[in-house]
């Protein structure tokens, strides 16, 4: 049976082994100073970085592993190269081990056990650990004698340079990853707003359809009542009653779906949005879709409106549908251009979306706001591409924002949608 604790423990062991191996190898980049056996190595630059990014690992375990790997590795190389006697090799191994064990113990006591951690305290503790561990190593090599001011000065400057370099690298990488994470979070947030806008629009029209479903159910029940005479066949009576029951079940399922979607995309957890942010969310998503399709389209945006909008989901739906219609009209056309302008007209907000695409024929122009009308379908399969459609966009504009939508088009030249929205309805919470 799989045990998570065993898996985590194995992963920790692997990280400790990796740290010990890397630092053991890095310790070979060194130069000797002050006294025989005392070396300044690259490994102490890496140790704080491993400690910083592995805060869940006990530092005593980590430095103990390093204390075994690095000095022994150094001792084996000294033995093979015959650069020191057995006595000196043993002394160098012991002092190296003392350095790492002292470093780990100090870091554990002064920093790791503390509940609150921050970058400033991490830097000062690393500086102190490096300085005191180096002082212990030199003391062991010199028999705790021959101390001088220059020695303390050298050890402190060395510790300061190594700590500054290590912490700078660790902090920069950490903040870089945070920036990447924040950008990814922003993209996920934009995607959520986009999906929620589509769902909220669909739920709105499902609510509108409930009354129609109730009328069908009522008519079926009344038909059943009118068939309750001797001339009507039992089959017709049963069919009318069955239709009423089925429609009632459909209504309940409809309501359950709306309730579930409404709870998941609850507005109480999402405050109002600035119009500028709504434009940013919508255009970021659409531009990403344009890049994926490798279309040659530029979207030019001009807005001088600073307005907070509670019902931002519906504005996203209006914008996205109109702009995507323009994107579809520019399919396969080079140098496509979409103009999006938002202007304040005293009591109303004017929203224009225009393109230099294929345009709309007069015959199609007369039908585009009719419910169910679409020109988007797969010619091979006959499947209709889904979306809330211009008829639903028109209803959102009219019912929620007390506005209206107009369209003008010149075939093969341009199309312009002008949406007028009541500013008061935009800036206050409107029950959908």
């Amino acid at each position: 049976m799989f045990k998570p604790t065993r898996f985590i423990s194995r992963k920790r062991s692997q990280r400790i082994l990796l740290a010990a191996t890397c630092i053991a190898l890095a310790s070979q980049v060194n130069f000797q100073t002050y006294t025989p056996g005392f070396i300044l190595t690259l490994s102490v630059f890496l140790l704080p970085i491993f400690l910083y990014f592995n805060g869940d690992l006990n530092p005593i375990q980590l430095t103990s592993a390093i204390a075994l790997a690095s000095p022994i590795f150094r001792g084996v190389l000294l033995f093979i190269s015959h650069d020191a006697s057995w006595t000196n090799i043993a002394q160098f191994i012991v002092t190296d081990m003392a350095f790492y064990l002292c470093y780990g113990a100090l870091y554990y006591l002064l920093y790791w056990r503390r509940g609150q951690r921050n970058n400033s305290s991490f830097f000062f503790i690393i500086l102190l650990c490096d300085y005191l561990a180096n002082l212990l190593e030199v003391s062991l090599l010199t028999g705790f004698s021959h101390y001088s001011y220059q020695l303390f000065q050298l050890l402190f400057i060395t510790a300061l340079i190594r700590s500054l370099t290590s912490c700078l690298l660790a902090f920069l990488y950490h903040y870089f990853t945070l920036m990447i994470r924040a950008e990814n979070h922003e993209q996920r947030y934009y995607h959520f707003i986009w999906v929620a806008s589509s769902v909220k629009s669909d739920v709105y029209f499902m609510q509108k359809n409930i009354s129609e479903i109730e009328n069908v159910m009522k008519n079926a029940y009344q038909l059943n009542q009118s068939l309750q005479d001797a001339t009507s066949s039992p089959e017709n009576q049963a069919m009318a009653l069955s239709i009423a029951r089925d429609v009632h079940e459909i209504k309940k399922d409809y309501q359950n779906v709306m309730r579930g979607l409404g709870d998941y995309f609850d507005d109480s957890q999402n405050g109002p949005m600035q119009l500028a942010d709504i434009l940013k969310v919508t255009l970021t998503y659409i531009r990403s879709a344009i890049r994926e399709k490798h279309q040659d389209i530029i979207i030019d945006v001009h807005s001088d409106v600073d307005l907070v909008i509670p019902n931002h989901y519906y504005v996203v739906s209006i914008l996205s549908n109109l702009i995507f219609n323009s994107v579809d009209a520019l399919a396969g056309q080079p140098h496509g251009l979409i103009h999006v302008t938002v202007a304040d007209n005293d009591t109303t907000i004017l929203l224009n979306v225009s393109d230099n695409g294929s345009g709309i024929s007069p015959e199609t122009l007369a039908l585009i706001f009719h419910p169910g009308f679409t020109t988007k379908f797969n010619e091979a399969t006959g499947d209709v591409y889904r979306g809330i459609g211009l008829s639903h966009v028109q209803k959102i504009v009219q019912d929620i924002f007390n506005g209206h939508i107009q369209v003008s088009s010149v075939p093969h030249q341009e199309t312009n949608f002008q949406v007028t929205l009541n500013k008061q309805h935009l800036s206050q919470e409107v029950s959908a």
Side-chain angles (χ1 to χ4, degrees), residues 156-408:
F156 181 78
I157 292 174
T158 301
L160 180 62
I161 292 173
R162 292 197 297 203
S163 300
L164 277 172
T165 304
S166 300
C167 290
L168 183 62
L169 290 173
F171 297 163
L172 285 177
Y173 181 77
H174 178 64
Y175 286 127
F176 176 74
T177 56
L178 287 179
M179 288 174 60
I180 297 297
R181 196 175 304 164
E183 184 178 348
N184 291 335
H185 177 75
E186 184 180 39
Q187 293 299 324
R188 287 195 296 270
Y189 175 69
Y190 288 174
H191 182 70
F192 171 80
I193 294 293
W194 184 271
V195 172
S197 299
S198 177
V199 172
K200 293 282 285 186
S201 298
D202 288 339
V203 169
Y204 173 75
F205 291 109
M206 290 172 72
Q207 291 172 336
K208 293 288 186 182
N209 290 338
I210 283 291
S211 59
E212 297 180 14
I213 293 175
E214 288 176 342
N215 287 334
V216 174
M217 182 178 65
K218 186 197 307 183
N219 292 337
Y221 183 75
Q222 289 176 348
L223 177 61
N224 171 261
Q225 293 297 107
S226 64
L227 292 174
Q228 300 296 322
D229 55 55
T231 60
S232 300
S233 67
E235 291 81 4
N236 290 338
Q237 296 175 19
M239 183 180 296
L241 184 59
S242 176
I243 291 173
R245 288 172 178 169
D246 289 344
V247 173
H248 179 68
E249 291 301 315
I250 292 172
K251 175 188 172 184
K252 287 199 303 182
D253 291 341
Y254 226 60
Q255 290 173 326
N256 288 335
V257 170
M258 288 189 299
R259 190 179 300 113
L261 291 174
D263 291 342
Y264 188 79
F265 295 97
D266 185 11
D267 286 339
S268 63
Q269 302 299 322
N270 298 280
M273 288 182 69
Q274 291 279 351
L275 180 58
D277 292 329
I278 294 173
L279 286 167
K280 185 178 180 181
V281 169
T282 307
L283 295 173
T284 297
Y285 194 89
I286 293 176
R287 283 170 174 150
S288 176
I290 290 172
R291 286 194 300 269
E292 289 178 2
K293 296 179 180 179
H294 306 289
Q295 291 179 274
D296 182 15
I297 298 175
I298 295 175
I299 303 179
D300 181 46
V301 182
H302 292 282
S303 174
D304 58 1
V305 178
D306 184 17
L307 189 66
V308 177
I309 301 177
N311 291 324
H312 52 83
Y313 291 120
Y314 298 115
V315 178
V316 172
S317 291
I318 294 169
L319 279 167
S320 61
N321 274 274
L322 295 181
I323 298 174
F324 263 128
N325 276 341
S326 293
V327 171
D328 292 338
L330 293 166
Q333 180 174 320
H335 312 300
L337 180 61
I338 300 173
H339 286 289
V340 180
T341 61
V342 185
D344 192 330
N345 189 30
D346 193 17
T347 60
T348 60
I349 297 296
L350 300 180
L351 169 66
N352 277 277
V353 178
S354 61
D355 63 74
N356 61 343
S358 57
I360 305 173
S361 67
E363 296 78 14
T364 303
L365 202 62
L367 301 172
I368 59 173
F369 292 119
H370 288 193
F373 177 80
T374 181
T375 60
K376 303 174 184 178
F377 60 91
N378 188 314
E379 295 182 357
T381 64
D383 293 335
V384 175
Y385 296 129
R386 299 300 175 187
I388 68 168
L390 288 173
S391 64
H392 286 174
V393 169
Q394 185 182 56
K395 288 193 68 66
I396 290 175
V397 169
Q398 293 173 346
D399 296 350
I400 296 180
F401 298 117
N402 191 31
H404 59 271
I405 181 172
Q406 296 175 312
V407 58
S408 60

